[in-house]
Amino acid sequence: NRIGADIIMALDDVVKTTITGPRIEEAMYRTLRWIDRCIAAHKRPHEQNLFGIVQGGLDPVLRDICVKGLVDRNLPGYAIGGLAGGEDKDSFWRVVAQCTAALPEDKPRYVMGVGYPLDIVVCSALGADMYDCVYPTRTARFGTALIPEGVLKLKHQAMANDTRPIDPTCECTVCKKYSRAYIHCLATKEAMGSILISYHNLYYMMK
């Protein structure tokens, strides 16, 4: 509340999706108890949006219970949490499809910690509206740029004399101004290379 964030995430109990047994159910019910505490503590509900987080692992019954519990509390928006933790893509997308189908269409549906370009496309098609992920900037710190064909490793020696932009089809400022060779030179020596690649990667993800 003091920071003044537009969106505030409730506390939740997160367990890895690869775990099985009673711990998942325990975490889901704790998450529902905590949303009530967060609602009670929220001092600026008409100025800031408190989102609840759907938990329940890969268990469709637990996910349904959590979704219903959060929707009954009539929150400004809803997040789908506890994914991208090692589960297979089919299981991941199944949970997203289940949750987006049950959450209100007129409120934001936010998939947390996602993701790779393919995940963004699939989850958007399934009805998700919002995402957060370190991938575009973390991969930039290692000198890797995102391009339509996949990834481009700009620290590789093969880039040292390549005068093309990162992506000839990209309209971002970095691709308009700088060559792969120039960014290679920066990325192998100083932080500015990572900054330029981050800018490009974020532009790519938004596009």
Side-chain angles (χ1 to χ4, degrees), residues 7-201:
I7 295 171
I8 304 170
M9 302 311 299
L11 291 172
D12 62 337
D13 186 2
V14 187
V15 286
K16 276 195 167 185
T17 49
T18 50
I19 291 173
T20 56
R23 178 71 181 92
I24 298 169
E25 185 174 3
E26 175 192 52
M28 186 275 293
Y29 280 112
R30 181 175 287 122
T31 296
L32 287 177
R33 291 196 302 274
W34 281 354
I35 187 65
D36 289 330
R37 294 185 188 184
C38 289
I39 291 167
H42 189 18
K43 303 302 182 190
R44 298 168 63 186
H46 301 295
E47 299 168 293
Q48 298 172 299
N49 300 287
L50 175 66
F51 281 29
I53 304 172
V54 181
Q55 290 293 347
L58 301 179
D59 187 322
V61 174
L62 294 179
R63 286 280 176 175
D64 273 344
I65 293 169
C66 201
V67 166
K68 185 179 186 308
L70 293 175
V71 171
D72 286 348
R73 286 158 175 83
N74 193 29
L75 300 164
Y78 303 91
I80 302 165
L83 295 171
E87 73 280 353
D88 63 89
K89 291 287 190 190
D90 286 345
S91 298
F92 163 40
W93 292 333
R94 174 182 56 76
V95 171
V96 171
Q98 176 189 353
C99 294
T100 53
L103 291 167
E105 288 187 14
D106 61 344
K107 293 184 177 182
R109 293 170 292 192
Y110 159 34
V111 185
M112 301 185 79
V114 173
Y116 298 113
L118 178 62
D119 294 332
I120 300 289
V121 172
V122 173
C123 291
S124 296
L126 293 173
D129 305 297
M130 298 167 60
Y131 311 92
D132 76 289
C133 190
V134 299
Y135 175 66
T137 48
R138 183 179 61 195
T139 199
R141 290 201 301 275
F142 293 105
T144 302
L146 307 178
I147 57 174
E149 296 80 10
V151 296
L152 187 69
K153 297 186 182 297
L154 289 157
K155 285 188 176 181
H156 281 191
Q157 193 56 39
M159 298 290 120
N161 299 308
D162 195 329
T163 57
R164 293 173 294 171
I166 292 173
D167 174 8
T169 68
C170 181
E171 294 294 315
C172 85
T173 301
V174 176
C175 287
K176 284 180 176 178
K177 288 187 176 181
Y178 305 111
S179 68
R180 295 177 182 184
Y182 178 73
I183 297 170
H184 165 84
C185 182
L186 287 179
T188 53
K189 292 181 177 63
E190 55 183 281
M192 181 54 74
S194 298
I195 293 169
L196 292 177
I197 301 168
S198 291
Y199 185 97
H200 163 80
N201 284 356

